[in-house]
Amino acid sequence: MNEAFRARTVEITFLGYTGETIIGALRHHLGELLDDPGPTRRVCIRVLVPDFVQPMIVPSRVGPNGEPLDDPAVRRHREGMCQGYDHALSAFAERLNGLGRVTVESEFRLYPGIPRDKICIINRELVLHGLYDVIARPVMRLSDPEYYDPQGYRTDLNVWSARDSDDTRAAVATWNKHLDGLWSLATVPPWRQVTAT
């Protein structure tokens, strides 16, 4: 991602579970822009996360026979995580925008479904893609029930670069088209919706 932040315009599109891993990486790079933006003048960040308002099989509680049992409390917790990451990213954007050297736009949107894929597209020319282990059961505390709860940092990623070959250029174009389509169909999260008064 270091090379991406040497461009005049930086575009990051991410689809994942909560956005935790991409926000961690972006904090570092956005922090560097506070001191020295270099050639970067505009940063556009789009983050797609599941719609945790909907009943889900992942994340979910593990039933007696291994069946997924929807757990509204777990979904609310994950939604709260997404909201927190969105607010943190928005606050960083406001701080950078206030300095007037770099314009930063960031937005979270919701897609229907479970967190199956982890996809990051950087400057529309580099794609990282991996599949979450949807049946992962991380141990919290021994007294807690088991949950199906993918761990993003454990996801192996495949990489395609538009600079490598005609085949990878075509793959990158397909991923861009796919995420652009998902973005256009995705909904604005409840925490970002403004109600008329």
Side-chain angles (χ1 to χ4, degrees):
M1 200 175 292
N2 289 335
E3 186 178 331
F5 275 83
R6 291 188 201 110
R8 187 165 180 82
T9 299
V10 178
E11 292 182 49
I12 308 289
T13 301
F14 178 83
L15 178 140
Y17 190 9
T18 61
E20 180 177 13
T21 53
I22 193 68
I23 300 306
L26 287 172
R27 280 184 182 146
H28 168 74
H29 292 287
L30 293 174
E32 288 182 343
L33 293 179
L34 288 169
D35 297 326
D36 179 13
T40 303
R41 294 297 170 259
R42 180 173 180 267
V43 179
C44 178
I45 303 163
R46 303 185 305 177
V47 179
L48 286 157
V49 293
D51 183 355
F52 291 108
V53 172
Q54 306 300 318
M56 301 181 90
I57 60 171
V58 175
S60 64
R61 190 182 306 221
V62 178
N65 297 313
E67 73 275 14
L69 304 173
D70 181 49
D71 190 326
V74 169
R75 287 189 286 107
R76 278 192 300 277
H77 181 262
R78 294 300 179 269
E79 181 182 41
M81 290 173 69
C82 295
Q83 183 176 358
Y85 296 135
D86 186 13
H87 287 315
L89 192 56
S90 294
F92 227 125
E94 284 179 33
R95 189 171 168 203
L96 278 161
N97 290 338
L99 295 174
R101 296 182 292 193
V102 180
T103 301
V104 180
E105 302 165 4
S106 71
E107 186 177 356
F108 270 59
R109 288 196 187 169
L110 309 176
Y111 67 87
I114 67 169
R116 187 193 77 171
D117 294 273
K118 181 177 190 175
I119 306 166
C120 185
I121 300 179
I122 302 169
N123 289 349
R124 303 189 69 79
E125 58 186 25
L126 185 68
V127 176
L128 301 114
H129 173 254
L131 296 171
Y132 289 114
D133 178 2
V134 294
I135 59 170
R137 300 182 189 189
V139 176
M140 307 303 178
R141 294 183 308 242
L142 293 178
S143 60
D144 288 345
E146 279 191 297
Y147 290 93
Y148 291 119
D149 189 21
Q151 305 298 296
Y153 65 91
R154 292 185 177 172
T155 303
D156 292 328
L157 299 172
N158 297 301
V159 179
W160 290 274
S161 172
R163 297 178 184 177
D164 287 345
S165 68
D166 289 343
D167 289 341
T168 58
R169 197 170 8 271
V172 168
T174 299
W175 280 113
N176 276 299
K177 182 178 178 184
H178 179 64
L179 257 64
D180 287 345
L182 285 176
W183 184 260
S184 70
L185 297 173
T187 59
V188 175
W191 65 84
R192 278 193 169 244
Q193 294 175 0
V194 178
T195 56
T197 56

